């Protein structure tokens, strides 16, 4: 995969991740072993109780992990992911930060922390990935 090195090139490449981007996921920053993405919340993201739908939170976290692991052009796929919900969003935007915990020859492990812009902890997601040959 030839993605590019600038934030704009990376954003353009990941526009093809249509489910996440059409639901509002935006890449804010990338660097080796880290990515930060955000999602402005709209009524589209809410469940019947008026809170952010768990699927919206997971979509942002999964997208952020994908950006962190793939932006340098090597294809990584997720083998397992687990989400732990910690609280409900108080603000109008979700922010997810993925950080590499461990990277081996073929596997990787990332932690994604999801907050709102007020700093409220929303969820932690762990992602175990595999590097495609």
């Amino acid at each position: 995969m030839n993605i590019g090195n600038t934030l704009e090139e990376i954003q353009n490449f990941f526009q093809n991740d249509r489910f996440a981007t059409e639901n509002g996921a935006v890449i804010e920053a990338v660097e080796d072993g880290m990515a930060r993405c955000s999602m402005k919340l709209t009524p589209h993201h809410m469940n019947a109780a008026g809170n952010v739908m768990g699927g919206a939170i997971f979509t942002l976290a999964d997208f952020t992990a994908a950006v962190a692991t793939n932006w340098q052009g090597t294809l990584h796929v997720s083998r397992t992911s687990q989400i732990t919900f910690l609280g409900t969003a108080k603000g109008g935007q979700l922010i997810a930060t993925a950080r590499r915990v461990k990277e081996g020859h073929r596997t990787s492990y990332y932690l994604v922390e999801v907050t709102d812009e007020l700093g409220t902890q929303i969820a932690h997601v762990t992602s175990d990935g595999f590097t495609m040959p």
Side-chain angles (χ1 to χ4, degrees), residues 14-37:
F14 281 99
Q15 283 299 313
N16 292 320
D17 196 333
R18 296 192 48 201
F19 185 80
T21 58
E22 289 179 10
N23 278 286
V26 175
I27 301 168
E28 302 288 343
V30 291
E31 61 185 58
D32 187 35
M34 188 283 291
R36 186 177 62 250
C37 300

Side-chain angles (χ1 to χ4, degrees), residues 31-55:
E31 61 185 58
D32 187 35
M34 188 283 291
R36 186 177 62 250
C37 300
S38 64
M39 178 185 289
K40 289 185 180 168
L41 299 174
T42 69
H44 172 78
H45 297 105
M46 302 303 165
N47 62 22
N51 295 313
V52 180
M53 183 74 153

Side-chain angles (χ1 to χ4, degrees), residues 17 19-21 23 25 37 39 41 45 52-67 78-87 94-98 110-115 122-128:
D17 196 333
F19 185 80
T21 58
N23 278 286
C37 300
M39 178 185 289
L41 299 174
H45 297 105
V52 180
M53 183 74 153
I57 297 166
F58 186 80
T59 294
L60 178 63
D62 185 57
F63 178 70
T64 306
V67 172
S78 180
R79 295 188 315 167
T80 61
S81 289
Q82 179 175 320
I83 189 166
T84 301
F85 295 102
L86 303 171
L94 296 179
I95 301 162
T97 304
Y110 278 72
L111 171 64
V112 184
E113 296 177 287
V114 182
T115 65
I122 309 302
H124 282 178
V125 175
T126 56
S127 181
D128 169 24

